[in-house]
Amino acid sequence: MRNWLLAAAAAAIIVAPTATMAQAPIVIKFSHVVAPNTPKGKGAEKFKELAEKYTAGKVKVEVYPNSTLYKDKEELEALQLGAVQMLAPSNSKFGPMGIKEFEVFDLPFIIPNLAALRKVTEGPMGTNMLELLKPKGMIGLAYWDNGFKQMSANKALRVPEDYKGLKFRIQSSKVLEAQFRSLGATPQVMAFSEVYQALQTGVVDGQENTASNMYTQKMHEVQKYTTLTNHGYIGYVVVVNKKFWDDLPADVRTNLDKAMKESTAYANKISAQENDEALEDIKKSGKTQLITPTAAEMAAMRKAMEPIYEDMGKRVGKQLIDDVMKTVNAATN
Ligand code: LMR
């Protein structure tokens, strides 16, 4: 009798958690490094809302903004290990994992506008690039925009000579490294979460980023000048852990795909306006002086940076650079 009771109690202990687990939602931890009120932050919140709605509570999305869980490099490692399920790193952050092709988007002036960018990301080229993530244990679900980058420093930056000898924080991309070297500056790779303090304490002299990233991290408060160069593009690849995604029940995955499609449309619809508003807020703050370079100054910048297209062909792939250029030119002409 006693044995029987013990066996029943043991069975109850084993059964009870299983029964609870059957009802427990599938949790997607979505970690990112920017503020909630940015294009990516808002896209992540939209995905949470739609994913939970379409799966009728079978999925719970926990969004962790502002590097609260992981910084740039760590978050990609955490995704591969399955400690988080979803991220949206910028194109510039895949190089250290051996996927250099996404750095094509870092080439200065390669993306003239968002309509031309869509021709790349929404066409076969965009799809082929996402395939590169699979051998690394990730699935690329979508491309999300941030927008175009501006330069900032405590010195007025107009022409290449102004950059000489200054140290700039960069994302972990060899193309961005080459970009600053072409201006005679020293690039320094640094996690996004550390940029504000590095600017404030003078560890670096300047940085490049979108208005929304600058404003929400208060970078404009510690940089005397911001030059409106729009010289480069920041966008994201929304990635999930491949095993996690493949193991999902088919109906759940279908609903999550739908939620991702709609949140992508939303994120890409608001991105330009978010950056326009952030730039207005930066202007209103009066903490940094905005510089609009002349056409001649911008031409000098383009000329200084041009040689890196040739050099970076070896890294990113000459064919890929040519294909992107052909596609964006067809979209703009
Ligand atoms: C940066 O590191 O500057 C940006 O890529 C951060 C982000 O995710 O927008």
Side-chain angles (χ1 to χ4, degrees):
M1 181 66 177
R2 194 163 169 271
N3 279 350
W4 182 85
L5 271 179
L6 278 176
I13 290 166
I14 293 161
V15 167
T18 317
T20 330
M21 268 160 68
Q23 286 149 18
I26 298 164
V27 175
I28 296 181
K29 289 189 178 168
F30 189 157
S31 174
H32 69 83
V33 299
V34 297
N37 53 335
T38 54
K40 176 160 66 182
K42 290 189 174 180
E45 286 300 331
K46 180 58 86 182
F47 175 72
K48 172 184 167 64
E49 175 199 322
L50 297 177
E52 291 177 355
K53 182 168 133 195
Y54 293 153
T55 61
K58 280 190 198 164
V59 169
K60 185 166 178 283
V61 181
E62 295 173 358
V63 180
Y64 297 92
N66 261 326
S67 310
T68 41
L69 267 193
Y70 299 105
K71 295 197 240 177
D72 300 300
K73 191 168 167 285
E74 301 155 6
E75 70 172 17
L76 275 158
E77 289 161 5
L79 185 84
Q80 288 182 303
L81 291 171
V84 291
Q85 288 69 40
M86 191 175 278
L87 310 170
S90 75
N91 291 312
S92 326
K93 296 195 178 147
F94 292 94
M97 312 182 75
I99 314 170
K100 304 160 189 164
E101 287 81 352
F102 289 96
E103 291 180 8
V104 74
F105 296 108
D106 290 333
L107 283 164
F109 303 105
I110 197 163
I111 305 296
N113 55 56
L114 295 179
L117 169 83
R118 301 271 183 267
K119 297 285 179 204
V120 178
T121 54
E122 291 174 6
M125 225 184 302
T127 312
N128 291 342
M129 286 177 73
L130 294 184
E131 285 298 312
L132 302 171
L133 299 162
K134 285 190 184 154
K136 304 287 175 186
M138 295 183 278
I139 291 183
L141 296 180
Y143 290 97
W144 285 4
D145 286 338
N146 186 327
F148 292 93
K149 290 181 285 189
Q150 320 302 342
M151 295 283 197
S152 75
N154 283 326
K155 179 180 169 188
L157 302 169
R158 294 176 191 279
V159 289
E161 289 72 44
D162 298 328
Y163 292 74
K164 268 205 183 95
L166 298 187
K167 196 182 266 185
F168 283 82
R169 176 268 170 172
I170 58 163
Q171 305 182 67
S172 56
S173 155
K174 294 286 179 208
V175 171
L176 298 179
E177 193 179 313
Q179 172 190 273
F180 279 104
R181 290 214 190 280
S182 74
L183 297 171
T186 308
Q188 184 166 330
V189 174
M190 188 181 285
F192 182 66
S193 56
E194 292 163 11
V195 181
Y196 172 84
Q197 209 184 354
L199 293 170
Q200 190 188 35
T201 55
V203 168
V204 290
D205 302 300
Q207 63 84 46
E208 54 166 11
N209 227 308
T210 62
S212 64
N213 273 350
M214 287 183 64
Y215 183 69
T216 51
Q217 300 298 322
K218 298 186 168 50
M219 293 180 202
H220 64 293
E221 295 186 5
V222 287
Q223 294 277 266
K224 289 203 180 85
Y225 300 94
T226 300
T227 308
L228 305 178
T229 46
N230 289 302
H231 62 282
Y233 169 77
I234 291 188
Y236 309 110
V237 188
V238 184
V239 285
V240 282
N241 175 287
K242 184 171 183 305
K243 178 156 179 13
F244 169 80
W245 195 252
D246 290 344
D247 288 350
L248 285 174
D251 65 314
V252 169
R253 200 167 42 234
T254 304
N255 283 315
L256 292 180
D257 271 331
K258 186 175 168 212
M260 182 50 66
K261 212 163 165 221
E262 290 177 25
S263 42
T264 298
Y266 167 81
N268 290 346
K269 187 163 160 250
I270 64 162
S271 61
Q273 199 186 336
E274 288 290 318
N275 277 301
D276 288 349
E277 284 173 10
L279 187 58
E280 271 311 303
D281 290 336
I282 289 175
K283 206 182 284 180
K284 267 191 247 150
S285 78
K287 301 233 157 116
T288 186
Q289 190 181 321
L290 294 184
I291 298 172
T292 305
T294 64
E297 286 164 351
M298 283 312 290
M301 291 291 287
R302 276 177 189 268
K303 190 156 178 273
M305 293 173 171
E306 211 173 81
I308 80 167
Y309 273 65
E310 177 77 33
D311 297 346
M312 287 294 117
K314 289 177 218 105
R315 176 170 172 86
V316 175
K318 188 173 169 355
Q319 189 63 49
L320 178 61
I321 297 177
D322 287 349
D323 289 347
V324 170
M325 284 172 70
K326 227 178 279 166
T327 306
V328 299
N329 285 339
T332 38
N333 291 331

